[in-house]
Amino acid sequence: MRSLTELIEPGSARVDVVATSRDEAIRAAGELLVRAGVAGDSYTQAMIDNVDEHGPYIVVAPGFAFAHSRPDSSVTRTGMSIVRLAEPVAFGHETNDPVTLVLALAAVDADTHQEALAALARLLGDPDRRRRLDAARTGEDLRAALGDTGRPATGAASRNAPTGAGEAPATTDPGSMPTGDTVPTEDAVPSKGFILTVCGNGLGTSLFLKNTLEQVLDRWGWGAHVRVEATDTISARGRAGEADVLLTSGAIAEALGDVPAPVEVIDDFTSRAQVDAALRRVYAV
C-alpha cells in the first residue's frame, strides 16, 4: 500500500489554478497526471465523461471533488494529482458545492490506492487538516498537508469515533449509541451481514464511503458481523438483493432505480454522523 504523498509526486500539486467550469477544473488536475506520465489525455477526458454520465457524485465532501474513472490504455501506473482553485467552481452538487479542491486519481487496479483513500477520508473529516489544505501557499505546501495521514489524526481512538471531528453527533443521547457487543437483532431488521457502498465505477468514491462506514461499524461493535464492499452501479443492481442496504450519493441512487434493498443517500462521504444516522434508520437502533 502507498501513501498519499507517494502517489502525488512533486509537481503534481498546484495552488491558485484558474478554472471557470467543472470540466476545466477536472482537466487542470488531469493535466498534472499527464505531465507526470501517469496517464494520457484520454484518461482526463474519461474523468470528465464519468461526471457527465453519473452526475456530480465525485464531490464527496464540502468543497472537495475526487475526479477518477475506470483505467484506460493510457494509464501506466497508479498516481494522483491535486489542485486548489483560485476561485470556487460549482460542480452541480446540491449540498457540497462550490468546489475549491480537486484531487484526481488514475489507478491500474482497485487495491494499490485503498490505504491512501482511507487516509484521505480521515484527513477531510478533520477540520484542522482540511484548513491546512485551504491555507497552503504553494503546491509543495499542499502536498505536504496531505502527508502523515497513515494514522488517525487524533490518536488511535479516532478510528472508533462515532462522528467526524467537529461534527454534531448523530444522536443527542450517548446512552443510545450501539457499542461493544451490540449486534443487529431480529427484533430490529433481520441482517444479512452485508452492506454495499456504490459509485459510478467502484474504484474511487465508494471506497471513501466504505472507509467511513467501517469506522462507524467498528464504533458500534458490529465490524466483525457486517461485511462491506465497494462496488459500481451495474454490479450493485445485480447484488442489491444480497445486501442489508446500499449507501451512495443522490445522483447514483437515481441511476440505480428500483433495487431489492433500501438505498440510503449520503451527501458527505467523510461524515460519520451521516452514516451513523443512515444505519440507525436501516437497523432501527
Side-chain angles (χ1 to χ4, degrees):
M1 297 292 183
R2 298 172 63 191
S3 68
L4 285 166
T5 50
E6 288 174 323
L7 290 169
I8 302 175
E9 300 177 2
S12 292
R14 288 185 58 199
V15 299
D16 298 329
V17 172
V18 176
T20 59
S21 68
R22 178 188 71 191
D23 289 1
E24 286 184 10
I26 295 173
R27 195 172 299 282
E31 287 175 356
L32 295 181
L33 295 177
V34 175
R35 291 181 187 178
V38 169
D41 291 330
S42 62
Y43 183 76
T44 299
Q45 186 60 49
M47 292 192 294
I48 294 171
D49 294 342
N50 183 45
V51 182
D52 288 339
E53 179 180 358
H54 298 292
Y57 76 95
I58 67 168
V59 188
V60 297
F64 186 91
F66 180 56
H68 61 286
S69 185
R70 295 186 184 276
D72 64 17
S73 59
S74 76
V75 178
T76 61
R77 65 183 186 277
T78 297
M80 293 180 176
S81 65
I82 186 168
V83 297
R84 196 184 69 217
L85 304 176
E87 297 292 338
V89 170
F91 272 49
H93 196 286
E94 185 176 352
T95 58
N96 292 337
D97 266 350
V99 169
T100 55
L101 289 160
V102 182
L103 185 143
L105 164 72
V108 296
D109 56 49
D111 298 320
T112 54
H113 60 292
Q114 288 194 37
E115 186 173 303
L117 290 187
L120 182 60
R122 291 194 296 268
L123 181 151
L124 293 174
D126 184 325
D128 289 336
R129 288 187 170 179
R130 175 59 191 268
R131 279 192 286 270
R132 285 187 62 195
L133 294 176
D134 294 332
R137 301 182 65 180
T138 67
E140 194 52 38
D141 288 345
L142 188 62
R143 183 170 174 267
L146 294 169
D148 192 30
T149 56
R151 58 181 174 79
T154 55
S158 69
R159 172 168 168 78
N160 293 329
T163 59
E167 294 176 346
T171 174
T172 56
D173 178 10
S176 68
M177 176 66 70
T179 58
D181 296 328
T182 304
V183 298
T185 68
E186 293 183 1
D187 293 335
V189 175
S191 175
K192 301 169 186 175
F194 183 47
I195 297 175
L196 287 170
T197 60
V198 188
C199 73
N201 53 43
L203 289 174
T205 55
S206 59
L207 292 172
F208 264 84
L209 190 50
K210 177 178 183 287
N211 175 74
T212 304
L213 171 58
E214 288 175 339
Q215 290 182 57
V216 175
L217 290 172
D218 284 352
R219 172 64 181 84
W220 284 19
W222 290 14
H225 305 282
V226 180
R227 181 167 54 94
V228 181
E229 286 189 19
T231 191
D232 59 59
T233 309
I234 295 173
S235 298
R237 291 194 191 103
R239 302 187 64 194
E242 305 171 25
D244 294 338
V245 61
L246 280 61
L247 301 187
T248 190
S249 68
I252 297 298
E254 290 184 11
L256 283 170
D258 292 330
V259 292
V263 177
E264 287 284 339
V265 171
I266 306 297
D267 294 322
D268 181 349
F269 281 18
T270 67
S271 171
R272 293 186 288 274
Q274 286 190 26
V275 172
D276 180 282
L279 293 184
R280 289 175 181 277
R281 288 190 292 270
V282 172
Y283 293 112
V285 295

